[in-house]
Amino acid sequence: MATMQALAALDTSADGIGLSAPPAGAPALLRALKAELRGVVGRALDAAKGAPDDARTRAMAELERLGVRPAGEERRWGSLLDLRIEQPAAHPELRVAVLTLAVPCGEDASLYVFERGRAGFRLALAHESDPSGWTSEGNRLSYGFLGGQPKGRWALAVSSAESSCVSLWRTLTTRVLLEGTDPLHPRAIFANSLRFHMPAGYTLAVSAGGFTLRWTGDPTFLPWYPRWDALAARYTVEGDSVRRAPPLAPDAESFVYAWLGLEWAEAERWLCPAASPSAGERWHRELRAALPGLASTPQLGACGGPGGEDPTKCEDVELRLTRPGPARSTATTHVLLAKQGADRCVERVFSRGKP
């Protein structure tokens, strides 16, 4: 396959092109390669009459005739790492193909939903990362079909993390996708991003009423999350509405970090009614930018806020950020939370500097 050979010939070493952007022509080659590969899958599904295992066997056989074999230890840009073809249990008319390609410093998985029609299988939805930047969003792709949809409609939750050559900090993006007028541009009724630190991972589980993201892995790699392994981001889906479900976290300290991990459009829901939205957005923006360097201590039962808050109704989480350099200093910020049953809200934020 000439497209794959052209990608493999690209110089992706740090000395050759640097780490700021892919080589010229690479994005177009990657788009063309994905189009060729999804065409192979579509033909294989028709020939196999939709049987997933047979379709995969036929697709791999065609790829081998074209000179494509699964990548071994030597991974070049565009090498084929994996091909999965599956039939969703709740949607017998659909088939899902997940194609995973090698990219510098990670992998790029693309998801394709094919639907059976009178003329065979047609591409109904494609979820592909944008290859124009150096990072790729197809790392560790997970998906699931959401239950509770109206008759004749299906919805898909897809989560994937970016690949990066320069940082262990990654962004996990989750979307809820519906079929659009163009298979290559599905309709997204929800998109949200969370920051995490490799090599921690996550699982995506779907249910009749929504989906849940849960963190997995070694907690030593997320020291800034006090109980990160207990965090689960649960979302409810009703029609075209997707909302984060309370409670946000199991304790006050984890609540603050979970709140900072949200985009502001979601985080605003956890401001207390008396809090200023403009001030809340500023607090959130500034602390979120400092997240990798934060350490925290819960001051439970001793709010210590300027307003003399009742310690039985509020909680105080102290965040410390040490700024390196000749004038090394530590800024201390207090996040005051009001208790709301099993959940919490952000009441106010105030800071103290300690040179």
Side-chain angles (χ1 to χ4, degrees), residues 33-300:
L33 176 60
K34 291 179 179 182
E36 293 173 2
L37 292 175
R38 64 177 180 260
V40 169
V41 173
R43 291 190 293 273
L45 282 169
D46 285 338
K49 302 186 186 306
D53 291 343
D54 187 18
R56 185 186 186 280
T57 298
R58 291 173 181 270
M60 295 303 294
E62 181 177 346
L63 290 173
E64 186 170 2
R65 288 194 295 272
L66 295 171
V68 177
R69 294 178 179 81
E73 294 183 2
E74 184 179 359
R75 292 167 43 142
R76 303 289 293 175
W77 203 356
S79 300
L80 178 65
L81 299 180
D82 189 32
L83 168 61
R84 293 167 20 222
I85 300 179
E86 300 163 341
Q87 177 180 333
H91 300 279
E93 76 284 5
L94 301 181
R95 301 295 183 271
V96 178
V98 179
L99 274 162
T100 306
L101 303 175
V103 294
C105 308
E107 59 188 40
D108 182 2
S110 299
L111 180 145
Y112 305 103
V113 179
F114 293 85
E115 185 171 24
R116 189 197 297 270
R118 292 183 178 179
F121 282 90
R122 68 173 185 89
L123 181 65
L125 181 149
H127 173 70
E128 299 177 337
S129 63
D130 181 2
S132 60
W134 182 257
T135 59
S136 170
E137 194 200 294
N139 231 4
R140 302 186 179 190
L141 184 145
S142 299
Y143 77 93
F145 284 87
L146 299 170
Q149 295 298 304
K151 185 177 180 181
R153 188 177 100 156
W154 45 267
L156 190 67
V158 183
S159 288
S160 54
E162 65 184 349
S163 302
S164 174
C165 295
V166 296
S167 174
L168 288 176
W169 282 93
R170 306 295 166 86
T171 298
L172 172 69
T173 301
T174 303
R175 295 178 174 87
V176 175
L177 303 176
L178 303 177
E179 188 176 2
T181 55
D182 175 2
L184 298 182
H185 298 91
R187 185 160 71 94
I189 61 172
F190 172 80
N192 192 48
S193 298
L194 294 169
R195 295 286 283 168
F196 74 104
H197 194 279
M198 294 285 279
Y202 70 94
T203 60
L204 171 68
V206 297
S207 61
F211 60 93
T212 301
L213 287 166
R214 189 176 297 277
W215 301 106
T216 62
D218 185 346
T220 61
F221 287 96
L222 286 179
W224 42 270
Y225 259 132
R227 291 185 56 192
W228 75 272
D229 52 331
L231 290 177
R234 187 166 59 90
Y235 293 86
T236 59
V237 181
E238 296 182 8
D240 286 359
S241 173
V242 182
R243 292 171 66 86
R244 180 74 178 264
L248 196 59
D251 59 77
E253 203 174 358
S254 296
F255 174 96
V256 171
Y257 288 98
W259 184 67
L260 295 177
L262 297 175
E263 300 291 343
W264 176 244
E266 277 282 315
E268 186 177 11
R269 290 176 49 211
W270 275 271
L271 277 185
C272 294
S276 162
S278 60
E281 185 174 11
R282 176 174 52 82
W283 300 334
H284 184 268
R285 181 179 64 252
E286 293 175 357
L287 291 176
R288 181 180 168 95
L291 184 61
L294 289 178
S296 59
T297 303
Q299 307 291 326
L300 305 182

Side-chain angles (χ1 to χ4, degrees), residues 13 48 70 233 310 316 345:
S13 66
D310 183 349
D316 179 352
C345 64

